[in-house]
Amino acid sequence: MSKALSRPSVSVAGVLMHLLPAVMLFTLFAAVGILHVTSRVLVVDMGYRLSNAEGESRSLTRENDRLKLELATLKAPGRLERVAREQLGMAMPKGGAVVSIADERVKGSGTAQARSAAPAVRVAERGTGR
């Protein structure tokens, strides 16, 4: 009877072999959880970066539009004429001081397109008393 009452021997290796599948399953779930959380953090971070980049893009677009308007204002013929007259002391030339010279290529070709492609050259003479 002593054999019936005796316990079977339990070895450490046997216990580890029984626990190994549970430990492996727990490790797999932990790794998947860590990867999922890491990916979500990266997605949220990228969303913030995208939002900041879109805001900067809108700001730069507004600045570009403002600069285009300023450039158009500065290039306006009326403003340029006023600046030339008031700040640079320039004046329109007298009636006989402007001479138009036609381009030689335009004289040889009879098409209207060739005439419009090469504009006439204007030469202003100085108003010296010679």
Side-chain angles (χ1 to χ4, degrees), residues 54-73:
E54 286 175 346
E56 186 177 351
S57 173
R58 282 190 300 272
S59 172
L60 289 174
T61 300
R62 281 192 307 268
E63 179 71 12
N64 190 25
D65 291 342
R66 187 189 65 79
L67 290 173
K68 283 179 182 178
L69 178 63
E70 184 178 348
L71 178 64
T73 303

Side-chain angles (χ1 to χ4, degrees), residues 125-130:
E125 299 173 359
R126 293 191 181 264
T128 57
R130 289 188 194 182

